């Protein structure tokens, strides 16, 4: 499936996140550690920086090609730095039905909201599920849809359910979204494994979500993802392992280097100035990385030079 990477902290070169780590996001497009397929269907990032002419808005870059084939990456990224970033490489089925255009690449960014979103997941049958779900969507977000992906529709639905931008508001909206999707699947007789591992990002904030539904649309699928991963790719058990696997989290500090090595290290939380939420650890050995387990939501926020972390279980 897709790969997600979100960062908050001091202004750092984007290449220290996207290019130079041993398991950088661009490298994950070619050789993901926890997924057997290449990520060929596009990529992109959104970044905020005080050095941009419009620092209040994200700089958005999206291209419908494999990140490791994008010749712009090695020319543009080394010239940029950011204090908040959300990046994504897109996986899709290898067939002619996949629409590869800028508008289908993550992250998604709409007007009238501070949040941008990227997802490692899928909502099967989402075009049919819209029969039940469109009634919960606000016109001001629906009319901004430009692509043909389930993630952009989930972005519309989630924004429409938000009653505010507090952590509590976002958690309630996520829980409500899962409940509505599960009910719509039941009402239409369309139960399916649904993965929603997503990052919702605004300046200085990351809300990371690891949630989904089982093969029968159940909200509490169970299993050991490592044991299930031993099944053959394409099997139901293998798909369930992809649903239940954790997301990765580093809460630490920035360690400036010569630009050719990894620039972050874990530390005690009271000293933390950096947070990274990702589908995979950016380092091969995963030292210093913790997990956001299935069914959990993590709230990361930067205040001054400090980053705080709160992890809770979702009530779904």
């Amino acid at each position: 499936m897709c790969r997600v990477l979100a960062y908050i902290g001091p202004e750092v070169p984007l290449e220290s996140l996207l290019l130079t780590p041993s398991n950088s996001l661009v490298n994950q497009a070619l050789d993901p550690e926890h997924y057997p397929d290449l990520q060929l269907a596009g990529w992109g990032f959104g970044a905020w920086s005080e050095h941009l002419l419009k620092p209040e808005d994200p700089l958005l870059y999206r291209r419908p090609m494999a990140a490791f084939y994008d010749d712009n990456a090695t020319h543009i990224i080394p010239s940029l730095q950011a204090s908040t970033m959300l990046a994504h490489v897109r996986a899709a089925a290898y067939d002619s039905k996949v629409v590869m255009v800028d508008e289908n690449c993550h992250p998604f960014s709409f007007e009238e909201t501070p949040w941008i979103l990227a997802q490692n997941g899928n909502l099967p049958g989402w075009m049919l599920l819209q029969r039940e779900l469109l009634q919960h969507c606000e016109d001001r977000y629906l009319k901004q849809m430009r692509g043909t992906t389930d993630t952009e529709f989930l972005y519309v639905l989630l924004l429409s359910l938000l009653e505010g931008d507090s952590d509590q508001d976002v958690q309630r909206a996520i829980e409500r979204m899962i409940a509505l999707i599960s009910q719509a699947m039941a009402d239409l007789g369309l139960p399916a494994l649904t993965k929603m591992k997503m990052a919702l990002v605004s300046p200085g904030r990351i809300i990371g979500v690891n949630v989904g539904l089982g093969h029968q649309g159940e909200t509490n699928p169970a299993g050991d993802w490592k044991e299930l991963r031993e099944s053959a790719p394409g099997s139901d058990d293998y798909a369930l392992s992809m649903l239940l696997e954790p997301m990765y989290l580093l809460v630490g500090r920035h360690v400036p280097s010569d630009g050719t090595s990894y620039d972050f290290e874990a530390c005690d939380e009271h000293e933390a100035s950096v947070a990274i939420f990702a589908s995979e650890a950016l380092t091969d050995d995963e030292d210093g990385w913790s997990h956001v387990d299935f069914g959990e939501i993590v709230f990361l926020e930067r205040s001054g030079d400090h980053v705080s972390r709160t992890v809770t279980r979702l009530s779904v």
Side-chain angles (χ1 to χ4, degrees):
M1 300 303 292
C2 308
R3 306 284 91 178
V4 171
L5 172 64
Y7 166 85
I8 54 173
E11 295 258 334
V12 297
L14 278 190
E15 63 182 333
S16 65
L17 294 162
L18 299 178
L19 296 179
T20 60
S22 57
N23 192 37
S24 70
L25 187 74
V26 171
N27 183 65
Q28 288 174 37
L30 176 64
D31 186 25
E33 295 290 328
H34 301 301
Y35 189 67
D37 295 334
L38 303 179
Q39 319 289 305
L40 300 176
W43 80 294
F45 62 84
W48 283 268
S49 171
E50 63 187 36
H51 298 286
L52 295 172
L53 293 179
K54 294 183 177 180
E56 69 280 4
D57 296 331
L59 168 68
L60 203 64
Y61 177 86
R62 301 187 297 180
R63 288 197 85 186
M65 64 188 306
F68 52 87
Y69 281 146
D70 187 352
D71 55 352
N72 283 337
T74 55
H75 292 89
I76 293 176
I77 292 173
S79 298
L80 297 174
Q81 60 184 32
S83 57
T84 301
M85 185 210 66
L86 174 59
H88 180 270
V89 291
R90 182 183 178 216
Y94 304 149
D95 61 46
S96 59
K97 296 179 182 179
V98 176
V99 181
M100 294 179 61
V101 294
D102 291 354
E103 291 81 3
N104 283 345
C105 297
H106 309 209
F108 295 99
S109 177
F110 285 175
E111 296 178 358
E112 299 185 62
T113 176
W115 300 105
I116 64 174
L117 180 139
Q119 179 187 225
N120 167 10
N122 67 311
L123 177 60
W126 70 274
M127 289 186 175
L128 297 179
L129 293 174
Q130 287 181 101
R131 296 179 193 172
E132 303 294 327
L133 297 174
L134 279 172
Q135 61 185 305
H136 304 286
C137 296
E138 294 187 11
D139 290 349
R140 60 175 171 155
Y141 299 126
L142 278 170
K143 67 184 181 182
Q144 295 186 63
M145 283 192 69
R146 295 292 181 266
T148 59
T149 66
D150 53 352
T151 300
E152 190 177 20
F153 177 71
L154 286 174
Y155 183 46
V156 168
L157 180 59
L158 179 57
L159 292 178
S160 301
L161 295 172
L162 281 174
E163 297 179 351
D165 293 323
S166 71
D167 292 352
Q168 295 78 15
D169 289 326
V170 175
Q171 180 163 347
R172 282 193 294 268
I174 292 288
E175 292 168 348
R176 178 65 173 151
M177 181 176 70
I178 297 300
L180 289 172
I181 291 170
S182 178
Q183 188 61 54
M185 286 182 169
D187 291 344
L188 296 176
L190 297 171
L193 187 142
T194 302
K195 186 164 73 166
M196 286 175 279
K197 299 174 184 287
M198 60 181 64
L200 194 65
V201 175
S202 65
R205 294 176 70 189
I206 299 170
I207 298 180
V209 181
N210 188 356
V211 73
L213 304 171
H215 287 289
Q216 303 308 313
E218 68 274 23
T219 59
N220 59 344
D224 184 313
W225 75 272
K226 290 184 178 179
E227 292 180 2
L228 292 166
R229 186 60 55 84
E230 296 176 4
S231 302
S235 67
D236 284 351
D237 281 350
Y238 192 91
L240 184 58
S241 79
M242 298 296 294
L243 172 67
L244 297 176
E245 71 177 352
M247 296 290 282
Y248 289 81
L249 180 65
L250 176 72
V251 176
R253 58 191 167 203
H254 179 230
V255 184
S257 71
D258 60 4
T260 61
S261 61
Y262 190 62
D263 290 350
F264 309 97
E265 66 180 14
C267 66
D268 292 338
E269 192 162 332
H270 70 276
E271 299 177 339
S273 60
V274 164
I276 302 173
F277 175 76
S279 298
E280 297 185 10
L282 300 186
T283 50
D284 294 331
D285 56 17
E286 299 183 7
D287 284 350
W289 291 81
S290 60
H291 289 167
V292 178
D293 292 324
F294 181 79
E296 291 183 336
I297 183 170
V298 59
F299 301 97
L300 303 161
E301 185 168 2
R302 185 175 184 229
S303 179
D305 294 329
H306 181 255
V307 167
S308 62
R309 165 181 55 183
T310 303
V311 180
T312 64
R313 296 290 301 179
L314 288 158
S315 298
V316 296

